């Protein structure tokens, strides 16, 4: 211990995506994405058994969404994610299957205007459930509520029922200004050890 490093390994996940979506009537939308996926690890110096490796595979995401109710207040989506060929790094016998998942998402927009609320206020209840393809029985689920004002400020609260340590409650604030989006999230995990429970995200639209 305490010696100088003799090598540096740099793992990377690269993905090229092409998507197409269409609508059937006014209530059904379909979409598909093709993905070219590559995992590579580049080594500089002496990396021992962690030398240069790379593997490439192909996958697709397929999904459908149905809108129901007045003004499409209820939206239900079903998607198959990461369906494709195994990722081979060394040999065919050691190829790794992709993490194929079946996901269900539900969004319901609350009719606040019928209770006298301003048209600028929008509230949504959301539910997301997903499980490994053909290995059902222990799904992960996320549920939450989002309240927005004028498509500019959003308050969010949610809870993640996950089969991992990163499960628990969260609170969030989102601010949209022109092409700039700022998201601040505070998580309250039951277990786990994230160094910083406060997360900041910044996105700029082009």
């Amino acid at each position: 211990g305490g010696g100088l490093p003799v090598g540096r390994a740099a793992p990377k996940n690269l993905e090229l995506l092409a998507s197409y979506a269409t609508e059937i009537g006014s209530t059904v939308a379909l979409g598909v994405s093709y993905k070219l996926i590559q995992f590579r690890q580049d080594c500089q110096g002496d990396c021992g058994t962690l030398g240069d490796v790379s593997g490439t595979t192909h996958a697709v995401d397929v999904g459908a969404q149905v809108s129901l109710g007045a003004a499409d207040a209820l939206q239900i989506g079903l998607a198959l994610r990461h369906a494709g060929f195994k990722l081979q790094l060394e040999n065919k016998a050691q190829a790794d299957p992709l993490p194929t998942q079946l996901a269900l998402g539900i969004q319901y927009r609350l009719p606040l205007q019928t209770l006298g609320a301003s048209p600028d206020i929008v509230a949504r209840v959301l539910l997301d459930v997903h499980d490994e393809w053909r290995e059902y029985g222990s799904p992960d689920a996320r549920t939450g509520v989002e309240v927005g004002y004028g498509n500019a400020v959003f308050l969010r609260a949610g809870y993640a029922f996950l089969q991992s340590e990163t499960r628990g409650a969260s609170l969030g604030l989102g601010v949209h200004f022109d092409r700039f989006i700022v998201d601040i999230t505070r998580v309250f995990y039951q277990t786990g050890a994230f160094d910083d429970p406060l997360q900041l995200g910044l996105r700029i639209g082009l």
Side-chain angles (χ1 to χ4, degrees):
L4 295 175
V6 296
R8 182 186 299 272
K12 302 181 183 70
N13 282 300
L14 306 176
E15 185 174 297
L16 178 64
L17 189 71
S19 298
Y20 174 77
T22 187
E23 294 183 351
I24 301 177
S26 60
T27 61
V28 179
L30 303 175
V32 60
S33 294
Y34 160 77
K35 298 186 289 188
L36 178 64
I37 304 169
Q38 182 181 79
F39 172 83
R40 62 181 303 116
Q41 180 172 267
D42 300 321
C43 174
Q44 295 180 346
D46 182 8
C47 299
T49 59
L50 302 176
D52 292 338
V53 293
S54 67
T56 302
T57 189
H58 309 267
V60 295
D61 295 342
V62 181
Q65 178 178 291
V66 179
S67 300
L68 303 170
D72 298 335
L74 176 64
Q75 294 182 325
I76 302 173
L78 186 66
L80 180 64
R81 302 171 178 166
H82 317 308
F85 300 103
K86 293 182 177 181
L87 180 63
Q88 179 178 330
L89 296 178
E90 296 183 11
N91 54 59
K92 187 174 182 180
Q94 294 180 329
D96 296 314
L98 298 180
T100 307
Q101 294 181 339
L102 187 64
L104 170 69
I106 300 174
Q107 171 185 287
Y108 179 66
R109 188 170 62 253
L110 299 175
L112 298 182
Q113 281 67 46
T114 61
L115 302 177
S118 168
D120 292 327
I121 300 177
V122 177
R124 302 184 300 163
V125 178
L126 304 105
L127 173 66
D128 173 76
V129 180
H130 64 268
D131 206 348
E132 295 184 18
W133 176 245
R134 294 182 177 178
E135 295 184 10
Y136 313 116
S138 58
D140 287 336
R142 297 176 176 86
T143 183
V145 177
E146 179 184 76
V147 179
Y149 180 78
N151 291 324
V153 179
F154 298 87
L155 296 175
R156 306 180 179 101
Y159 197 96
F161 301 88
L162 306 183
Q163 306 298 321
S164 68
E165 294 182 343
T166 55
R167 63 182 182 271
S170 62
L171 293 174
L173 171 66
V175 179
H176 296 192
F177 179 74
D178 196 11
R179 295 179 299 169
F180 298 90
I181 302 175
V182 179
D183 288 307
I184 302 173
T185 305
R186 174 68 165 87
V187 296
F188 305 90
Y189 294 125
Q190 291 183 348
T191 59
F194 273 107
D195 293 334
D196 189 356
L198 188 65
Q199 302 170 13
L200 174 65
L202 174 62
R203 288 176 289 170
I204 302 175
L206 300 178

